[in-house]
Amino acid sequence: MFAGLPELGISNGEDLKETLTNCTEPLKAIDQFQTENGILLPTLQSALPFLDLHGTPRLEFHQSVFDELRDKLMERVAFIAEGKDEDRYTKLEELLEKSFPLVKMPSIQPVVMQVMKHLPKVPEKKLKQVMADKELYKVCAVEVKRQIWQDNQALFGDEVSPLLKQYIVEKEAALFSSDLSVLHNFFSPSPKTRRQGEVVLKLTQMIGKNVKLYDMVLQFLRTLFLRTRNVHYCTLRAELLMSLHDLDISEICSVDPCHKFTWCLDACIREKFVDAKRARELQGFLDGVKKGQEQVLGDLSMILCDPFASNTLVLSTVRNLQELVGQDALPRDSPDLLLLLRMLSLGQGAWDMIDSQVFKEPRLVCGDTFPACHDVSGVWFNLFVLIALLRYLQENRVACEMGLYFVLHITKQRNKNALQRLLPALVETHNDAAFSDIFLHLLTGHLTLLSDEFGTEEFCSAVFDSFLLTSFSSKENVHRHTLRLLLHLHQKVLPSRLETLVKTLEPPKQSSDPVKELYTQLTEKLEAQKKSPPQAADAPSLDLGLHPVTVPTTSLIAHTPKLYLF
């Protein structure tokens, strides 16, 4: 407990023990020991007997004085560090040298840690001692840990890894939320709100102003993105940079070549739209990538691969197309539209670019701009797209992304006839995009607008038989989303169909706990429903003011009015 005192020339318990062992008059020895090691203030000696008269133990008195002096010393350390004296760090280094031998003494340890915290460069020997001792490492300030981490990537990785796992778990939890809604979904929180999440704040604090640690985190994110293809790592890459931007950490923002691009894109995501002014700014950043600096395209593509960025780009593309229709203009002649598709293509190709290390923008081919390659009087979002869409959903990732949002659009319009025709086409899409968690999260939310249609065999067959049930046994995430949908809409589903679905969706033994839990919730709800009296009337469906479009059942072509933005 008192290790380190002899190094400073201060007696400890062992010294007292030795003195008492070898002395002939113990009381005089104790009195001398107290005088030599007590508070060296002459006027205090005459006052101490008064404490004895009041029954105050000497230990209690000395402890209170010690605590007061320690607090004053810690305040003084902070005051020196925040001052402008040129020799302030020299003073702190000298104090560290004197106090460090006592670092394991609980009462002195806070002082040592305070001094280390305020030193921009702790002596390497001291850092190694802290790193080698688990207890010291645990209690030292993050400012000290940064100095340890910057030269120990493996140790830093051990600290960061649980946070990155937590981040992915939180994103997946949001996608598998039990709340199904077209109004409040995965994309509802603003960028600023998302950056207040625990993981982003912790990583921001861990990095501080240390460029080396920031680079390490970015490398971790690239590596994990390559290993897993999980686009949430792209979201975290952008959120982390903007979190540092919010704190005005210029030491990092000024050296990240993606900073201004990400800042501009963040504003677009906040508005869920890329306006003409910001489009020009974004294009300027892309066009400004100089020869020899092409590697920055890898980071830009990762930022554009962020689902929140993709969502904004697709929404902006749809709105841009609608405006062009009103102007009777060809989409392929719109620079803003071509830029949106260019950024979508760059984002969709992020994994390939980083994996191949070939930093070159994907060339926009005809398929990427398929919405612009027809007579605009029909508008691309009409069902005549179906024929071309079938091929593009499978072959072209950008067209596939646009096609999936088209499906969400007609679902939000409550166009059940169009949806029934399109759902079977989604079984085969580029990289199984239609079975991604993000699309299924949005689709299940949009399907709540058509809840009454689940009372018909035809609609149930289209949603379940022709789409969801085609892959639920091989893709557990599809199984989970299907159960989420039924949990929300089971009262609307045709009873005979519901009974069949419950049997079909029973999880096999090897299923994960989340699937089993969802299935249990569903069966419990159904049992409770059987025991409760029948409702007098169905609850009214959500009315967003979007009127369904009548589509002739005998025609493949549906002439749809102008698009309602989703």
Side-chain angles (χ1 to χ4, degrees):
M1 182 177 179
F2 299 105
L5 285 176
E7 294 180 38
L8 300 177
I10 301 174
S11 301
N12 62 9
E14 290 299 318
D15 295 316
L16 178 59
K17 180 180 179 182
E18 185 179 345
T19 299
L20 292 174
T21 302
N22 299 325
C23 72
T24 56
E25 297 184 55
L27 292 177
K28 283 187 177 180
I30 291 173
D31 186 58
Q32 184 179 354
F33 188 89
Q34 287 178 324
T35 302
E36 291 174 353
N37 295 283
I39 299 173
L40 302 178
L41 189 64
T43 55
L44 179 64
Q45 297 304 315
S46 59
L48 287 176
F50 286 102
L51 294 175
D52 298 334
L53 291 174
H54 287 281
T56 302
R58 296 287 178 91
L59 174 62
E60 184 180 324
F61 167 71
H62 281 89
Q63 187 64 51
S64 65
V65 172
F66 176 87
D67 292 343
E68 184 71 20
L69 289 173
R70 181 185 58 197
D71 293 344
K72 293 291 185 183
L73 179 56
M74 291 178 68
E75 289 176 10
R76 183 64 181 167
V77 168
F79 178 78
I80 292 172
E82 293 165 4
K84 296 182 179 180
D85 292 348
E86 292 183 1
D87 64 342
R88 62 186 184 278
Y89 295 130
T90 303
K91 291 178 181 178
L92 294 181
E93 286 171 1
E94 291 173 355
L95 181 56
L96 178 62
E97 197 62 36
K98 292 177 181 178
S99 61
F100 195 80
L102 306 178
V103 70
K104 288 197 173 183
M105 187 183 296
S107 56
I108 297 291
Q109 191 178 82
V111 177
V112 183
M113 292 302 173
Q114 176 83 333
V115 176
M116 295 177 72
K117 173 184 176 180
H118 288 288
L119 274 175
K121 188 169 178 57
V122 176
E124 188 175 349
K125 183 180 178 182
K126 303 288 192 296
L127 287 177
K128 286 183 177 180
Q129 286 179 259
V130 171
M131 185 174 67
D133 190 305
K134 289 183 179 179
E135 291 303 316
L136 289 181
Y137 175 78
K138 184 178 179 180
V139 298
C140 73
V142 69
E143 290 85 353
V144 180
K145 287 180 178 177
R146 288 185 198 129
Q147 297 183 48
I148 295 173
W149 293 332
Q150 67 179 5
D151 296 316
N152 294 272
Q153 185 171 358
L155 181 60
F156 186 51
D158 290 341
E159 293 277 358
V160 169
S161 182
L163 292 174
L164 301 184
K165 290 177 181 176
Q166 179 185 338
Y167 184 84
I168 298 301
V169 168
E170 289 172 356
K171 289 296 182 187
E172 290 178 347
L175 288 170
F176 288 106
S177 167
S178 57
D179 297 326
L180 272 67
S181 170
V182 72
L183 295 176
H184 303 287
N185 56 48
F186 182 74
F187 293 115
S188 295
S190 69
K192 196 89 169 183
T193 300
R194 289 188 282 116
R195 293 199 288 274
Q196 300 308 307
E198 181 185 4
V199 172
V200 175
L201 292 179
K202 279 189 176 180
L203 286 174
T204 303
Q205 184 193 31
M206 290 170 73
I207 291 168
K209 299 178 181 180
N210 194 306
V211 176
K212 196 170 181 181
L213 294 180
Y214 178 66
D215 283 339
M216 282 188 200
V217 173
L218 295 192
Q219 189 54 47
F220 293 151
L221 294 177
R222 293 185 199 104
T223 301
L224 289 167
F225 177 50
L226 281 178
R227 187 182 300 165
T228 65
R229 291 181 181 263
N230 194 320
V231 293
H232 299 315
Y233 292 116
C234 301
T235 305
L236 182 53
R237 196 266 186 253
E239 287 181 350
L240 185 58
L241 175 54
M242 288 308 300
S243 177
L244 293 164
H245 166 89
D246 292 341
L247 295 173
D248 198 22
I249 309 295
S250 58
E251 291 85 349
I252 291 176
C253 294
S254 62
V255 297
D256 188 331
C258 300
H259 172 230
K260 290 184 178 179
F261 181 89
T262 308
W263 184 9
C264 182
L265 186 62
D266 184 76
C268 298
I269 293 172
R270 184 180 65 241
E271 303 297 330
K272 289 186 169 59
F273 179 61
V274 181
D275 60 33
K277 180 184 176 183
R278 291 195 177 115
R280 287 192 295 271
E281 289 181 37
L282 293 169
Q283 182 165 355
F285 296 134
L286 291 177
D287 293 343
V289 176
K290 298 176 182 178
K291 190 173 183 180
Q293 299 178 345
E294 292 89 355
Q295 194 167 350
V296 72
L297 286 173
D299 276 325
L300 289 175
S301 68
M302 197 168 171
I303 287 165
L304 287 167
C305 189
D306 166 20
F308 290 87
S310 299
N311 179 63
T312 300
L313 293 174
V314 176
L315 292 176
S316 300
T317 300
V318 171
R319 184 165 166 181
N320 190 288
L321 284 165
Q322 185 178 11
E323 290 174 355
L324 290 170
V325 169
Q327 299 165 8
D328 198 23
L330 283 173
R332 64 189 172 199
D333 295 332
S334 168
D336 287 351
L337 177 61
L338 293 178
L339 171 66
L340 291 169
L341 294 171
R342 176 186 176 187
M343 290 192 290
L344 268 174
S345 182
L346 186 56
Q348 295 289 322
W351 190 92
D352 293 330
M353 183 181 293
I354 297 172
D355 180 55
S356 66
Q357 293 291 290
V358 177
F359 300 105
K360 186 178 180 181
E361 282 194 57
R363 190 173 69 89
L364 278 175
V365 294
C366 182
D368 290 310
T369 54
F370 79 94
C373 299
H374 70 280
D375 174 14
V376 294
S377 62
V379 187
W380 75 275
F381 12 74
N382 291 335
L383 279 183
F384 87 93
V385 169
L386 181 59
I387 299 172
L389 187 64
L390 291 174
R391 180 165 63 89
Y392 285 123
L393 283 173
Q394 299 172 29
E395 299 176 1
N396 188 286
R397 53 193 169 204
V398 174
C400 178
E401 185 81 359
M402 296 296 297
L404 293 179
Y405 271 74
F406 169 51
V407 172
L408 294 176
H409 162 64
I410 62 171
T411 307
K412 194 165 187 177
Q413 283 194 315
R414 307 180 192 187
N415 190 336
K416 72 163 187 175
N417 293 329
L419 184 61
Q420 288 174 181
R421 288 185 175 85
L422 280 175
L423 282 175
L426 301 187
V427 174
E428 294 184 26
T429 51
H430 189 276
N431 284 340
D432 281 339
F435 294 120
S436 69
D437 288 328
I438 292 175
F439 176 71
L440 290 176
H441 168 89
L442 295 173
L443 180 63
T444 51
H446 282 57
L447 283 172
T448 59
L449 297 174
L450 289 164
S451 58
D452 290 337
E453 301 300 335
F454 283 90
T456 67
E457 176 62 31
E458 184 183 19
F459 192 74
C460 283
S461 179
V463 173
F464 296 110
D465 298 342
S466 298
F467 180 50
L468 292 174
L469 296 185
T470 61
S471 65
F472 87 100
S473 59
S474 59
K475 299 181 187 297
E476 190 170 88
N477 71 308
V478 180
H479 198 161
R480 289 179 70 180
H481 283 292
T482 306
L483 288 170
R484 285 177 62 243
L485 182 64
L486 282 178
L487 265 170
H488 190 82
L489 297 173
H490 63 89
Q491 291 179 319
K492 299 286 187 177
V493 178
L494 198 66
S496 58
R497 165 62 72 162
L498 182 61
E499 185 178 349
T500 304
L501 285 170
V502 170
K503 291 179 181 178
T504 303
L505 293 169
E506 183 175 2
K509 290 182 180 180
Q510 67 270 23
S511 294
S512 67
D513 289 340
V515 172
K516 292 177 181 177
E517 289 169 8
L518 279 171
Y519 185 78
T520 300
Q521 289 176 35
L522 176 61
T523 53
E524 288 175 351
K525 269 196 171 185
L526 294 178
E527 285 299 317
Q529 185 178 317
K530 288 179 182 177
K531 296 176 183 178
S532 62
Q535 294 181 346
D538 289 339
S541 60
L542 178 62
D543 185 4
L544 297 182
L546 300 174
H547 304 292
V549 178
T550 304
V551 179
T553 57
T554 57
S555 172
L556 180 65
I557 310 302
H559 295 286
T560 309
K562 286 188 178 180
L563 175 68
Y564 292 99
L565 292 181
F566 45 92

